[in-house]
Amino acid sequence: MNWTSIGQHCWSFGLAFGLFVASIVTLVITVWEWVENPGGIFYDGNSTQWSMLYDTAISWFIPTLLYAAIAATIGHLSITLLSQWIGKK
């Protein structure tokens, strides 16, 4: 069993999956909030408040990236180790 290879693949997969999920979730939530515009904080009659939109996007992107990447890494590692363990039986 090559632990270096398994570790590299798990982190790469976790990071790629986390970036994908965080991007999709952030895009959906940010657009939803902009369309809903609670209290007129995202746009008024003149223009869009880009700083508020940016703050909302960052506040969703970073935690989602961390949670999704960690969950995907653990899942990938578990499935890899389980498949190797079953293959040896």
Side-chain angles (χ1 to χ4, degrees):
M1 186 178 314
N2 187 354
W3 287 100
T4 305
S5 175
I6 291 173
Q8 288 175 344
H9 292 297
C10 289
W11 283 111
S12 298
F13 176 78
L15 183 59
F17 184 80
L19 283 169
F20 176 74
V21 169
S23 298
I24 297 299
V25 168
T26 300
L27 179 66
V28 168
I29 295 298
T30 305
V31 169
W32 184 0
E33 289 290 331
W34 185 82
V35 168
E36 191 177 74
N37 196 26
I41 62 171
F42 291 104
Y43 63 88
D44 54 14
N46 298 329
S47 65
T48 297
Q49 301 298 325
W50 291 107
S51 63
M52 284 300 295
L53 212 56
Y54 175 78
D55 289 343
T56 301
I58 290 298
S59 71
W60 277 92
F61 183 79
I62 292 174
T64 305
L65 172 65
L66 293 174
Y67 291 133
I70 290 170
T73 301
I74 291 171
H76 187 278
L77 182 61
S78 300
I79 290 170
T80 302
L81 293 177
L82 183 63
S83 66
Q84 287 183 359
W85 182 69
I86 289 173
K88 287 187 178 185
K89 282 191 163 189

